Amino acid sequence: MELPQIGKNCQLDGCNSLDFLPVACPLCHQTFCGDHRLPSNHKCSHWNQVTKDLVQCDDCQQLIQAPKDAKLGLEQALEQHKQSKCHLYLYPPSNTIKKIDRQCTVKGCRDIDPRIGPVHCNGCDQDFCLKHRHPASHSCQSLDTDEQRKMERKLAAQEKVAKTFTSQPTKKRKVITSVPVRSKNGGMVELMKIKSQAKGSPSVPAASRIYIYVQGPKESKVDSQSVYFDKKNSVGKALDLIADICKVNNKNNTLPPSDPERLELYKCPDMTILDKSEPLEKALKNLDTVLLERQGAVSMEEVDDLAEE
């Protein structure tokens, strides 16, 4: 509980409720809750003895006592009390309230309520008013200790997680070296030779054909082949046809772009990845060599080294 020393139980038989702002009866000096604070509400034993000297205000429900030196009657005192907005002639007088010696530890603050008293902070062992009772409001030294403990718990948790979930050594990817280019001079003799050997769809017009060499991936048992495609087709369509020729499982349409199982076409010898949306006539020319391989099997660092060479 934040304010363990504040509040008392009502001493009226049958009530005993805890009140954080208990009221002490000025007549019998017992403590009561707000509902039973008035002598008439708790059947005060001394009430009959002072009924002639005190009257209860209908507005503020406080007891009023006529000053003896002013020679005012109770009715006149009650009327002046109401005219003063319920400040005059209160019983007991406000100057009889016991003053509290302890002050708020915050420099310059004197806001401790004399009816409630100070609030003790267990973090720094000091007393404060209600306004400065929270550790953050009086820069409690316990805050630094709490932060240090949080940091220690965080480091301990990280260390435990590191021991529990040890990182597995990364597997080295298989490096695919550049496929040697089969066409050396790209002359007419070489072109005539590949035309006589290349495989492709007979429905492709001869004028629209582009003749290239294809190297299958490591997982394929199909060796290098000479093929032809319609040069108006995209690189992506050619990739699908080459995957069928090499009998390779092609799931590019269901895999995300960064998945290592995606198939790519690499132009040799620089091993650049061909844009699948580009038409073949712009990406390649007759007698070029391409490699079909999964992108997870190709080391880009190795490709960069090959390109520099």
Side-chain angles (χ1 to χ4, degrees):
M1 187 175 179
E2 184 184 8
L3 307 175
Q5 78 278 20
I6 295 177
K8 290 184 179 180
N9 295 91
C10 180
Q11 291 185 271
L12 180 66
D13 294 339
C15 180
N16 198 39
S17 62
L18 178 65
D19 197 309
F20 290 103
L21 291 174
V23 179
C25 177
L27 302 178
C28 63
H29 305 291
Q30 288 186 315
T31 303
F32 299 95
C33 64
D35 294 336
H36 303 121
R37 69 185 186 280
L38 299 177
S40 58
N41 296 137
H42 63 262
K43 300 178 181 180
C44 182
S45 59
H46 297 78
W47 179 240
N48 293 331
Q49 303 175 11
V50 296
T51 53
K52 296 181 180 180
D53 299 328
L54 301 176
V55 65
Q56 184 176 350
C57 176
D58 296 333
D59 295 339
C60 65
Q61 302 298 317
Q62 300 295 325
L63 294 178
I64 307 303
Q65 185 181 42
K68 296 180 181 180
D69 54 353
K71 297 181 180 180
L72 293 175
L74 278 177
E75 293 182 0
Q76 293 175 326
L78 178 60
E79 183 178 357
Q80 292 186 15
H81 166 77
K82 292 182 178 180
Q83 291 176 355
S84 68
K85 297 182 180 180
C86 298
H87 289 303
L88 293 177
Y89 311 137
L90 292 174
Y91 182 86
S94 58
N95 56 9
T96 61
I97 298 176
K98 183 180 179 181
K99 293 185 179 180
I100 298 176
D101 296 332
R102 288 176 292 178
Q103 298 296 327
C104 180
T105 308
V106 175
K107 187 176 180 180
C109 179
R110 298 180 179 273
D111 290 340
I112 289 185
D113 193 317
R115 297 180 183 274
I116 298 178
V119 180
H120 187 76
C121 176
N122 294 325
C124 57
D125 199 25
Q126 300 289 339
D127 293 329
F128 299 93
C129 64
L130 290 178
K131 179 181 178 181
H132 297 116
R133 69 188 186 275
H134 295 294
S137 62
H138 63 259
S139 302
C140 184
Q141 62 185 13
S142 63
L143 294 176
D144 296 333
T145 304
D146 292 341
E147 289 297 326
Q148 181 65 27
R149 290 176 180 173
K150 289 181 181 178
M151 183 58 66
E152 291 176 356
R153 289 197 297 267
K154 181 179 179 181
L155 294 175
Q158 291 176 347
E159 184 179 356
K160 186 174 181 180
V161 170
K163 290 181 179 179
T164 305
F165 303 98
T166 55
S167 58
Q168 299 294 332
T170 56
K171 296 181 179 180
K172 294 184 178 180
R173 293 189 298 176
K174 181 174 58 176
V175 177
I176 305 298
T177 58
S178 177
V179 176
V181 178
R182 296 187 56 178
S183 175
K184 297 182 179 179
N185 50 29
M188 291 299 297
V189 177
E190 183 72 20
L191 183 58
M192 291 175 63
K193 184 177 179 181
I194 192 174
K195 285 183 177 181
S196 63
Q197 298 175 349
K199 296 180 180 180
S201 175
S203 61
V204 179
S208 296
R209 295 178 182 180
I210 182 171
Y211 296 88
I212 59 175
Y213 295 104
V214 172
Q215 173 65 47
K218 290 286 186 178
E219 64 188 84
S220 173
K221 297 181 180 180
V222 179
D223 200 0
S224 176
Q225 289 192 13
S226 54
V227 296
Y228 65 85
F229 301 108
D230 190 334
K231 60 184 178 182
K232 301 295 182 181
N233 289 343
S234 64
V235 173
K237 186 173 182 179
L239 185 149
D240 295 336
L241 294 173
I242 295 173
D244 292 338
I245 294 172
C246 297
K247 299 180 181 179
V248 176
N249 189 13
N250 181 11
K251 295 182 179 180
N252 280 11
N253 60 333
T254 61
L255 298 175
S258 59
D259 195 291
E261 291 299 312
R262 282 186 66 88
L263 290 169
E264 298 289 352
L265 275 182
Y266 297 87
K267 183 179 179 181
C268 302
D270 53 1
M271 300 293 287
T272 56
I273 299 178
L274 298 179
D275 185 357
K276 298 181 184 63
S277 61
E278 195 173 22
L280 287 173
E281 61 182 348
K282 289 186 178 181
L284 300 170
K285 63 180 184 300
N286 285 327
L287 304 178
D288 277 345
T289 302
V290 297
L291 166 68
L292 178 68
E293 187 56 82
R294 301 192 185 278
Q295 63 180 0
V298 178
S299 172
M300 298 311 295
E301 294 180 358
E302 184 72 10
V303 169
D304 292 340
D305 294 340
L306 290 169
E308 291 176 1
E309 293 176 358

